[in-house]
Amino acid sequence: DAKTTQPTSMDCAEGRAANLPCNHSTISGNEYVYWYRQIHSQGPQYIIHGLKNNETNEMASLIITEDRKSSTLILPHATLRDTAVYYCISLRENTDKLIFGTGTRLQVFP
Amino acid sequence: EAGVTQSPTHLIKTRGQQATLRCSPISGHTSVYWYQQALGLGLQFLLWYDEGEERNRGNFPPRFSGRQFPNYSSELNVNALELEDSALYLCASSLMGLAGGSSSYNEQFFGPGTRLTVL
C-alpha cells in the first residue's frame, strides 16, 4: 500500500471550509484513498473514500487530482465538533487492514 | 442499530500478567479487526478474524493472540504483559474482510476501545 503524507496540524475557523491535503505520490492504479478521523478518546470514524473521481457525501467531499498523486478532503462548513485527527489512507482493493499514518490534527476555533 | 462494543473500558495490569479484551461486532458483521494505539506510535494493525479464523496479523509478537467465536465476537489476549503494551486497543468490524472479488471495500466501524495500562 502506498505511503501517504499529511501536514501535522491545521487550524480552521468555525463555519469556514477546512481543506486537508494528502500526498500519495506512489499510489498504484488499484489503490483507493480513504479518510478516517479520530475525535479525542474515541475510535476512528470513516468519512469518505474514492478511487479516481471526486466524491461527496453528507460529511465531506474528496477531491483527487487527475494523476492521483494527491487528494484533498473538504469539510465545507467546519464546526467545533470537527476538531479531530484526520487520517488519509491508501488501500488496495480486496485488502483488509488499514495502515494509519500520523494524520493531521485539525483544530477548529470559534 | 448498536455499534461495535468493547469491554472493559479500562484495564490495569502489572508486568507479566495476562490481559483479555473483548469485542462485539455490529450485528451481521463477520470480520473483526484489532488495532493498537500506543502513545506516540499511532494506530497499528494487530489481527484480523473472519468467520472464526485468523486471516492476517500485524508485526506483533506471538504473545498477542486472539480468537473469534461462532457469534463473531472476539477476544484479544496479551500474555506476559510488558510496560510498552500500555495502549488503547481498538476493535473494528466489517461485513467481510475481502469484498468477494468486487472492487468495493467494506468500511470498518470502530468501537470506543479498551485502555490497557501496564504497571
Side-chain angles (χ1 to χ4, degrees):
Chain A
D1 297 316
K3 179 180 168 57
T4 62
T5 55
Q6 302 175 250
T8 304
S9 63
M10 294 182 65
D11 290 339
C12 179
E14 190 177 20
R16 304 297 293 268
N19 298 303
L20 291 88
C22 178
N23 285 320
H24 30 81
S25 58
T26 60
I27 198 168
S28 60
N30 64 348
E31 286 183 310
Y32 289 74
V33 178
Y34 274 75
W35 285 83
Y36 277 75
R37 74 179 181 184
Q38 188 174 23
I39 296 170
H40 182 63
S41 298
Q42 298 181 22
Q45 176 190 25
Y46 165 82
I47 302 172
I48 198 167
H49 76 281
L51 183 63
K52 290 187 287 191
N53 300 320
N54 298 336
E55 302 288 341
T56 296
N57 63 20
E58 64 278 3
M59 288 183 68
S61 294
L62 175 61
I63 307 299
I64 303 174
T65 58
E66 194 169 337
D67 62 8
R68 300 208 328 119
K69 293 183 185 301
S70 65
S71 60
T72 302
L73 177 74
I74 301 173
L75 307 178
H77 307 287
T79 70
L80 297 179
R81 285 178 293 182
D82 292 323
T83 293
V85 178
Y86 287 76
Y87 296 97
C88 169
I89 300 165
S90 66
L91 191 69
R92 284 175 291 120
E93 62 181 335
N94 297 330
T95 58
D96 45 80
K97 60 181 181 288
L98 296 170
I99 300 175
F100 290 84
T102 53
T104 295
R105 183 172 298 279
L106 175 68
Q107 179 69 54
V108 180
F109 57 90
Chain B
E1 179 185 313
V4 176
T5 59
Q6 293 185 244
S7 63
T9 306
H10 294 88
L11 188 59
I12 300 175
K13 295 285 186 178
T14 56
R15 285 175 59 188
Q17 285 189 313
Q18 180 202 36
T20 299
L21 290 66
R22 296 179 178 83
C23 171
S24 292
I26 290 172
S27 177
H29 286 190
T30 62
S31 275
V32 170
Y33 311 80
W34 287 95
Y35 293 84
Q36 182 197 65
Q37 188 170 31
L39 196 63
L41 290 179
L43 278 147
Q44 306 284 326
F45 167 75
L46 254 170
L47 288 160
W48 168 40
Y49 291 95
D50 183 63
E51 296 286 358
E53 292 190 22
E54 182 182 303
R55 302 292 187 178
N56 200 358
R57 67 180 292 127
N59 189 25
F60 283 84
R63 58 191 186 83
F64 286 83
S65 65
R67 53 181 173 167
Q68 186 178 33
F69 299 99
N71 66 354
Y72 302 112
S73 67
S74 177
E75 265 183 11
L76 173 69
N77 295 295
V78 188
N79 293 320
L81 284 166
E82 301 178 1
L83 296 178
E84 50 266 34
D85 296 334
S86 294
L88 179 68
Y89 288 84
L90 290 157
C91 169
S93 74
S94 71
L95 281 171
M96 65 178 78
L98 300 180
S102 76
S103 62
S104 66
Y105 168 79
N106 290 286
E107 173 191 339
Q108 293 184 18
F109 295 83
F110 284 81
T114 292
R115 185 161 296 281
L116 172 65
T117 301
V118 183
L119 302 176

